[in-house]
Amino acid sequence: MIEREQDAPGSKGQFSRLLRDIAVAAKIVDRDVRKAGLVDLFGETGEINVQDEEQKKLDLLAHEEFVRALRRGGEVCLIGSEEHAEAIPLLFDDCQGKYVVLFDPLDGSSNIDVNVSIGTIFSIYRVPDDHVGRVTMESALQCGRKQVAAGYVVYGSSTILVYTTGNGVNGFTLDPSIGEFLLSHANIRTPNRGRIYSINEGNYNSWDDGLKRYIKWMQQEDPDDPDRPYTTRYIGSFVADFHRNLMKGGVYIYPSNTRDPNGKLRLMYEANPMAFIVEQAGGRAETGSGPILDVEPQALHDRTPVYIGSPSMVEDAIAFLSGERTA
Ligand code: P6P
C-alpha cells in the first residue's frame, strides 16, 4: 500500500499513516468476523442503533475497533459512524489531525449469523482550513466531491481492501499468513456494461413506474440483444453486491420507495465513498436526479436513493426514470 500510495500533497506521511491505521482496524475486524461463531459474537447487543435497527454484537465491536485505531493513530480530528448518533470529536487540546473519517463499520450485518459476506465502508475528508483547531460536527458535512479518499473492505471468501485517493482504484488482498494486505487488483476498471442487476424486488409495488419499466426491460428476451435477459444478484450486503458488480459489470439499485422516501442507504458513509470509487473506476453513481457526489449533506445520517455501477447501465436506469425511454 505504501509503495502504491503517493501521499496527499503536504501531508508529511500523515495520509499514509491514516490508511495504515484503517488497514490495522480492518485486520482486527477480519479476525473477529472469522471467529464470530466460536466466541459468541453472533446475535444482537440488545440495543437499537441510531438507524433504528437492532445492533449486532459485531457491529459494535467493529465500530469500537475503528474508533480505537483512528483515535490512537492521531491523524483524525473527527469520526462519523453509522453506529453513533453524533459525529465523535477526537478533540485533544490541540488536535493535530488533518482528517475527518466517516464509516459504516459493518455493512450488511444482518448476514453475519448466516456466514454471508459483509464489509466496512470508509470515507476520508480533510478538516476544512477554516475549521482547523475548532472542529465541529459541521466539519463532517462536506459533499462527496471533496473526499480525499474512500474505500471498503469485504470480509468474504478472502478479505480485500479496495480504495481510491483520486488516482484510480486498487485492491489489496489480506494474506493471513503474514497479516499484510498485498496488491492483488491494480488499477481496477469497471466494465461499461454487465448482465447483473442488484435490487430488492420485494419492494416492487413501491417503485417508480419508470423503474418498473427498466427492470422489466432487463428481464425481457430480445433477439437483437444477446445480453438480455440480465441476471439478478442481490445478497443484502451492499459492499459485496457493489464489489461483484465493480469487477464483473452490473448495476446496484436502492431506490426511494414508500417506506424509505429517500432510499435506505446512507449518503455520507455508504453512497458517497462507493460513488467516489466507482467514478474513479470508470463507472457512474446517481441519486436518480443527479450525481451522488454532488449532493450537499444536511446531516450525518442522511439517506439517498442509489443507482451505481457500470456507466451504460446507470444511464439506462436514468433514461427510464426520466421517461426518456419506455422500452
Ligand atoms: P433490504 C444492509 O442493511 C444495507 O444497508 C445494504 O448493505 C443492503 O444492500 C441493503 O441494506 C439491504 O436492504 O431492504 O433490501 O433488506
Side-chain angles (χ1 to χ4, degrees):
M1 283 173 70
I2 302 298
E3 284 160 23
R4 298 281 300 187
E5 188 45 50
Q6 301 306 317
D7 249 38
S11 74
K12 301 184 185 61
Q14 287 173 304
F15 189 67
S16 286
R17 287 196 295 274
L18 171 52
L19 288 175
R20 178 211 58 206
D21 294 341
I22 289 174
V24 166
K27 292 178 202 172
I28 295 169
V29 171
D30 173 70
R31 176 203 64 197
D32 295 343
V33 165
R34 303 246 172 247
K35 70 181 184 184
L38 302 173
V39 290
D40 187 27
L41 280 178
F42 283 162
E44 291 73 29
T45 61
E47 301 296 323
I48 300 296
N49 69 13
V50 66
Q51 315 298 334
D52 200 23
E53 295 167 345
E54 281 189 319
Q55 185 179 62
K56 300 284 187 180
K57 291 177 187 172
L58 267 180
D59 278 328
L60 184 59
L61 201 59
H63 165 83
E64 291 171 342
E65 295 297 355
F66 275 93
V67 170
R68 186 178 298 123
L70 294 172
R71 192 190 294 275
R72 188 173 51 231
E75 312 302 344
V76 175
C77 261
L78 191 68
I79 289 177
S81 166
E82 185 203 35
E83 294 302 326
H84 204 275
E86 296 300 324
I88 306 165
L90 304 183
L91 290 179
F92 312 115
D93 296 342
D94 57 342
C95 175
Q96 299 303 315
K98 282 191 174 178
Y99 299 101
V100 176
V101 178
L102 310 176
F103 62 94
D104 181 355
L106 215 53
D107 173 69
S109 49
S110 59
N111 288 312
I112 290 173
D113 298 5
V114 292
N115 214 38
V116 170
S117 298
I118 50 184
T120 298
I121 310 171
F122 63 88
S123 171
I124 303 175
Y125 293 88
R126 265 187 210 293
V127 173
D129 291 341
D130 58 347
H131 289 215
V132 174
R134 53 186 188 82
V135 163
T136 67
M137 310 305 162
E138 295 305 309
S139 311
L141 299 183
Q142 302 181 46
C143 97
R145 295 260 178 240
K146 293 183 179 168
Q147 293 174 95
V148 293
Y152 61 86
V153 183
V154 181
Y155 309 99
S157 51
S158 63
T159 295
I160 183 168
L161 165 63
V162 175
Y163 78 91
T164 183
T165 58
N167 300 302
V169 180
N170 292 295
F172 300 80
T173 299
L174 182 61
D175 179 341
S177 67
I178 58 171
E180 286 301 338
F181 281 104
L182 305 179
L183 182 65
S184 52
H185 300 71
N187 192 27
I188 296 172
R189 302 296 292 170
T190 196
N192 179 54
R193 180 177 293 279
R195 295 191 60 248
I196 297 170
Y197 69 97
S198 307
I199 191 169
N200 183 341
E201 304 207 47
N203 296 328
Y204 176 85
N205 291 322
S206 68
W207 291 348
D208 175 286
D209 288 343
L211 177 57
K212 290 180 180 176
R213 283 191 288 269
Y214 178 42
I215 301 297
K216 183 166 181 293
W217 176 80
M218 287 197 279
Q219 294 167 342
Q220 282 167 336
E221 299 260 359
D222 178 340
D224 300 326
D225 182 354
D227 279 344
R228 286 190 291 141
Y230 290 175
T231 296
T232 183
R233 288 286 184 275
Y234 187 78
I235 69 167
S237 179
F238 177 40
V239 183
D241 283 321
F242 175 89
H243 181 68
R244 180 201 53 243
N245 293 354
L246 181 76
M247 303 308 289
K248 293 189 163 199
V251 62
Y252 172 101
I253 299 172
Y254 207 107
S256 58
N257 60 53
T258 45
R259 188 187 64 203
D260 306 294
N262 292 316
K264 179 182 180 185
L265 269 61
R266 275 64 59 152
L267 172 67
M268 297 307 291
Y269 41 80
E270 290 178 322
N272 267 338
M274 296 311 217
F276 188 17
I277 290 166
V278 85
E279 286 199 1
Q280 283 288 312
R284 191 167 166 185
E286 295 279 334
T287 66
S289 51
I292 286 174
L293 292 178
D294 291 344
V295 175
E296 285 298 338
Q298 302 306 311
L300 180 62
H301 299 295
D302 280 354
R303 296 175 189 265
T304 178
V306 174
Y307 297 77
I308 192 167
S310 294
S312 292
M313 299 178 82
V314 174
E315 188 179 316
D316 290 345
I318 300 308
F320 275 91
L321 283 175
S322 67
E324 180 192 326
R325 279 181 64 178
T326 55

